[in-house]
Amino acid sequence: MKSLRIAILGTGNVAWHLASTFENQGHVINHVYDRDINKAEKFALDYFNASTSDSLDLSEINAHLFIMALSDDSIEEVAQTLQLPSGSTLVHTSGTVPLNSLGYAQTHNIGVFYPLQTFSKGKSLDFTDIPICIEGESDETIELLRNLANSISHSVHLLNSNQRKVIHLSAVFACNFTNHMFTISKGILESNDLDFDILKPLIVETLNKSFDISPENAQTGPAKRGDMETLDSQFESLSNDPSVAEIYQLVSQNIIDFYQD
Amino acid sequence: MKSLRIAILGTGNVAWHLASTFENQGHVINHVYDRDINKAEKFALDYFNASTSDSLDLSEINAHLFIMALSDDSIEEVAQTLQLPSGSTLVHTSGTVPLNSLGYAQTHNIGVFYPLQTFSKGKSLDFTDIPICIEGESDETIELLRNLANSISHSVHLLNSNQRKVIHLSAVFACNFTNHMFTISKGILESNDLDFDILKPLIVETLNKSFDISPENAQTGPAKRGDMETLDSQFESLSNDPSVAEIYQLVSQNIIDFYQD
């Protein structure tokens, strides 16, 4: 595709990863906005062609695309005061904020460019396999975002705001909750002078198996086997932490019910 | 270490993986027991020196070590009727069965040789990183098991029966429950015509981050942020499946409480 001139609003992890990936693929970051001008200037050091600002009047910035990589709860407010050149396109990068939160912006070319990944500061990620979920109000916007997404990833998905919400909810279970299960597991081990490291090979192989044969076919453990003796004894052993015991009981029961159906 | 002559009781996944790994490291599988003689004979085809039986009188079998790779609930019963040559050592491979379940066996050399891993039929695993948890009634047995474990893995842990129980419980959270979270997540996606594959890069990166900086430092998501609006809206969207909604609420609350402390 042709090279795009891109303005980035925000200087956090998502902004950092997107901007460097875009430039690596031949696009040009030509402006960086942050309400803290020092952050904008520091960020812009990596981008030879980038001007900076802490003002939301960006009507003089000659960019094809303005990307809001801001926190979810500031997107709608910023969109309301933002001034853009006519004919430009505005997108946000959030998994949860609906497209119409950009409806107040002074442009009709609005969309979403949501990379479905967790980003850490300073740790480069290869975008090739990262799903990019796009949404646009017009066919032209969709086409622009699809081309941009294809230029950095081979996994591009046109999703509406409701589908994006569903993905976000499913990620809460598959990522946030699994990570908290690790935290609980680590706590149980450490209160018995055991190290979480001992579980890592098992966790990795369980994940491999789950991906290979699908999670519902990979389930093991006392609840799957209906081994009531082990379930009772493990539940008892959690009596010093009632809320963890309740999680144990509820998830085990859900597994039992799932495999009885 | 010197090469050991090993008899295997059972022909399931654990037996298959252990036997082939032991032979690869220079030990000799010289007998295979299964209550179904056909299974024992089929298993023994891979082992040139192995005789077979479906009888629990193994007093004539000239092995240093007898390994029971049997289902948890048959271990104690089999140990009660088993006949072994005097001076031989008997171990089981279970994470949950206490050492003293072997107490009825006709030998004083009893122990546990528990590989902390999930095994799939026919899929070879490199044992080098697999933690081997050993336990023994005597120092001689511990020494024998430690040498055997060191010959196949560099992660060998001397644990008592209670510690093994703790590891098993922590693995229920870190492996069984996380896998069920994937199953729930997949169900949510599929009921909205979305594919579980879209989440896989995020799941892998979340796991990498959790291992890199420890799970309690890697937590993200609405509960961690205390984002009540998203929590309420996601809980509402689960109203068609009350037990999953209850899991959502309980785990979210546990995350909120954990990070408030």
Side-chain angles (χ1 to χ4, degrees), chain B residues 6-17:
Chain B
I6 298 171
I8 296 276
L9 289 77
T11 56
N13 284 336
V14 175
W16 188 84
H17 281 89

Side-chain angles (χ1 to χ4, degrees), chain A residues 117-118 120 123 131 168 170 174 176 179-180 185-186 198 201 205 209-210 214-216 219-221 234 243 254, chain B residues 117-118 120 123 131 168 170 176 179-180 182 185-186 198 201 205 209-210 214-216 219-221 234 243 254:
Chain A
Q117 188 50 283
T118 179
S120 307
K123 184 188 172 194
H168 191 250
S170 69
N176 301 157
N179 186 71
H180 191 60
S185 177
K186 183 169 181 259
I198 202 173
E205 181 63 15
K209 201 167 167 177
S210 190
S214 192
E216 72 274 21
Q219 189 65 43
T220 59
Q234 293 193 331
S243 58
N254 198 264
Chain B
Q117 187 50 284
T118 179
S120 307
K123 184 188 173 196
H168 192 251
S170 69
N176 301 156
N179 185 71
H180 192 60
F182 296 156
S185 179
K186 183 169 182 257
I198 203 172
E205 183 62 15
K209 202 166 166 178
S210 189
S214 193
E216 71 275 21
Q219 189 66 42
T220 60
Q234 293 193 329
S243 57
N254 199 263

Side-chain angles (χ1 to χ4, degrees), chain A residues 9 11 13 159 167 249:
Chain A
L9 289 78
T11 56
N13 285 339
L159 301 182
I167 284 179
Q249 191 172 39

Side-chain angles (χ1 to χ4, degrees), chain A residues 39 84 153 170 175 207 214 223:
Chain A
K39 288 187 180 168
L84 298 181
S153 166
S170 69
C175 300
L207 181 72
S214 192

Side-chain angles (χ1 to χ4, degrees), chain A residues 159 163 166-167, chain B residues 186-196:
Chain A
L159 301 182
Q163 288 175 306
V166 167
I167 284 179
Chain B
K186 183 169 182 257
I188 293 169
L189 288 167
E190 288 183 347
S191 63
N192 288 276
D193 294 321
L194 290 163
D195 199 296
F196 183 57

